[in-house]
Amino acid sequence: MEAPAAAHNPAEPGPLGNRVGNRVEIVVDSPEQMGELGRRLARLLRAGDLVMLSGELGAGKTTLTRGLGAGLGIRGAVTSPTFVIARVHPSLGDGPPLVHVDAYRLGGGLDEMEDLDLDVSLPASVIVVEWGEGKVEELTDDRLQVLIHRAVGDTTDEVRHVTVTGLGERWASADLGVLSA
C-alpha cells in the first residue's frame, strides 16, 4: 500500500495540502490512501467525538470510515449503512465503539434521527455521519467536518481533495496537520 506524500510547508500550496488554523486540506490519490487517512484520523478521535462526512456519491466517505474503523480497532466490516441507516461496531479492545450513520435518505433534522439515539450514544462512542449536514449539528458544538471533493462525470480520476475542519473547543487547538503526514 502506498503511503500519502509528506506534508508541505503550511504557507506553501503543495500536492498534499495546506493547514489553516483548525483546518487541513489533503490530496488523496487512491482508495488505499483514503483508508490510510481514516487510520490517521482515528488516532485523533476519542469517545464523544462526532465526525460529519460530506461529498458526492462515490467520493470515498465509506472508504474513509473503513480506515477509521481499522484505526479504532473495531469489530465487523465497515460497509455503507445506506439501507439500515446506522451500524454500531463494538471495539475489539478498550476503545470506543464506532457508530456509522448514513443520513442520505433522511430528510429532516435531528428530530427525524431521534430514533437512532445518537445523543445517548455520543458520550461513549465515536459517531461518523455521512450526509449529516443540517441533521446532526445540534448533537454537539464540537465536531469534525470532512468534505471530500472528487471529479464528477465520466472519469476514472481517483484524486480526492479532502478538507478536514475542526469546530468547537475540542478541536480549537488540535493538530490536524498530523493527518497530512
Side-chain angles (χ1 to χ4, degrees), residues 97-165:
L98 171 66
V99 178
H100 184 199
V101 179
D102 187 332
Y104 182 74
R105 296 185 304 135
L106 302 177
L110 189 59
D111 291 341
E112 186 174 317
M113 298 185 71
E114 272 187 12
D115 289 341
L116 299 177
D117 288 331
L118 295 179
D119 55 335
V120 173
S121 301
L122 183 60
S125 306
V126 169
I127 297 181
V128 175
V129 182
E130 298 183 25
W131 307 98
E133 302 78 21
K135 299 173 184 168
V136 296
E137 290 91 342
E138 295 174 28
L139 283 173
T140 179
D141 291 332
D142 298 314
R143 62 186 175 275
L144 283 179
Q145 291 185 325
V146 180
L147 178 59
I148 306 171
H149 287 286
R150 71 172 181 92
V152 293
D154 186 19
T155 181
T156 58
D157 189 357
E158 293 288 338
V159 175
R160 306 294 194 259
H161 297 267
V162 182
T163 303
V164 180
T165 305

Side-chain angles (χ1 to χ4, degrees), residues 80-96:
S80 178
T82 299
F83 298 105
V84 296
I85 309 299
R87 294 184 197 277
V88 177
H89 299 276
S91 175
L92 290 171
D94 59 357

